[in-house]
Amino acid sequence: MGAKTAVLIYTDGHPADLLRSTPEPDPAATAALISRTNPAWDGSTTSPGNLDDYIYPDQGVAYAGSFPGIDVLCDQQVMVGRPSQVPAHLLRAGTHSGQVILHAMHSGTDWFAYAIWENGALLRSLSLSPATGVTENIGTPLEFEHPYWAGEHPVRRITGRPDKTPYALPFHPVELGGEAALRALLGFIIEGRRRDTDIDAQAIHLLGFPIPVTNPITQADIQEFMRTHTRTRYTYGPDGNLVPIEE
């Protein structure tokens, strides 16, 4: 499957604290969450799963869980190229929405995006890939980003395959998203070496729901997105803020 995520979290605290000792998801509250995020859902269900296996579900199915203090929605419809444009009905869908966290990535295109809303206000949004550069950069970079922008995780060329074209970014987006961001934001990783402090995503049980696919994402859509979005490269300025690099 590779490193892929499509998850929206509605929470009243840090997800790791609330998910560490979660009970089973509340079926009625979880079904209500699916109804609000997928109005065309017909009320049917499919086999349950867990957060590790279904953080990136197939199109046509969503996995979700409503727990004390936190709602979890895994659904490909949250994979928005510019997180600031996540539909309003998705942001309002959770019953625990003091903070809403988006984490989405796809290793096939080395794309990663995340965003955080606090009481409805967008605090931070980042979306980037080598094909498009930085397509969205709103708010102050969080601490887990700093080593990547500072060049501490450089893209290394493959021995024997010299590439004359410089990589468009100072790091692989999925490397940032797959370990640093996922661990910092949600308290776990899906690939790589786990730490003792990481929660076990396989222990987070979710319920499954078939949902209608009204606008399926195709490879052509991905290519069109790459073609039509302007690539912008960033670096740190003298004041410590990110500034665009003039091409």
Side-chain angles (χ1 to χ4, degrees), residues 103-183:
H103 190 288
M105 65 182 180
H106 196 292
S107 57
T109 54
D110 202 6
W111 169 73
F112 165 60
Y114 87 96
I116 300 175
W117 293 262
E118 191 84 41
N119 296 319
L122 180 63
L123 299 183
R124 175 65 173 144
S125 173
L126 178 68
S127 178
L128 69 169
S129 78
T132 62
V134 180
T135 56
E136 187 157 273
N137 175 38
I138 298 173
T140 303
L142 297 190
E143 185 176 354
F144 68 81
E145 297 181 50
H146 294 174
Y148 290 83
W149 293 114
E152 297 179 21
H153 298 269
V155 175
R156 303 190 184 281
R157 295 180 178 178
I158 300 174
T159 302
R161 295 176 60 187
D163 184 359
K164 295 181 181 180
T165 302
Y167 196 77
L169 297 165
F171 55 84
H172 284 292
V174 168
E175 183 179 342
L176 169 64
E179 188 163 339
L182 198 56
R183 177 175 278 132

Side-chain angles (χ1 to χ4, degrees), residues 35-237:
S35 181
R36 291 190 295 271
T37 56
N38 291 276
W41 173 57
D42 64 5
S44 60
T45 61
T46 188
S47 301
N50 64 70
L51 183 56
D52 185 69
D53 289 338
Y54 292 103
I55 195 169
Y56 179 82
D58 293 334
Q59 286 190 1
V61 63
Y63 279 82
S66 185
F67 308 93
I70 187 168
D71 298 317
V72 178
L73 173 69
C74 301
D75 187 333
Q76 283 199 36
Q77 71 170 314
V78 309
M79 299 184 75
V80 178
R82 295 180 181 271
S84 63
Q85 297 176 4
V86 168
H89 79 280
L90 292 180
L91 297 180
R92 296 193 300 261
T95 55
H96 310 287
S97 54
Q99 189 173 81
V100 179
I101 302 171
L102 167 71
H103 190 288
M105 65 182 180
H106 196 292
S107 57
T109 54
D110 202 6
W111 169 73
F112 165 60
Y114 87 96
I116 300 175
W117 293 262
E118 191 84 41
N119 296 319
L122 180 63
L123 299 183
R124 175 65 173 144
S125 173
L126 178 68
S127 178
L128 69 169
S129 78
T132 62
V134 180
T135 56
E136 187 157 273
N137 175 38
I138 298 173
T140 303
L142 297 190
E143 185 176 354
F144 68 81
E145 297 181 50
H146 294 174
Y148 290 83
W149 293 114
E152 297 179 21
H153 298 269
V155 175
R156 303 190 184 281
R157 295 180 178 178
I158 300 174
T159 302
R161 295 176 60 187
D163 184 359
K164 295 181 181 180
T165 302
Y167 196 77
L169 297 165
F171 55 84
H172 284 292
V174 168
E175 183 179 342
L176 169 64
E179 188 163 339
L182 198 56
R183 177 175 278 132
L185 296 173
L186 305 184
F188 63 90
I189 60 174
I190 56 176
E191 290 188 344
R193 180 175 296 180
R194 286 183 54 192
R195 298 174 182 172
D196 292 340
T197 54
D198 292 341
I199 62 174
D200 183 3
Q202 288 190 342
I204 311 303
H205 297 163
L206 302 177
L207 304 179
F209 303 88
I211 54 175
V213 181
T214 55
N215 295 296
I217 300 173
T218 67
Q219 188 63 31
D221 295 327
I222 295 173
Q223 294 301 322
E224 179 66 9
F225 174 86
M226 292 179 176
R227 186 185 68 81
T228 57
H229 284 68
T230 302
R231 184 180 73 181
T232 305
R233 298 173 64 194
Y234 285 79
T235 187
Y236 275 117

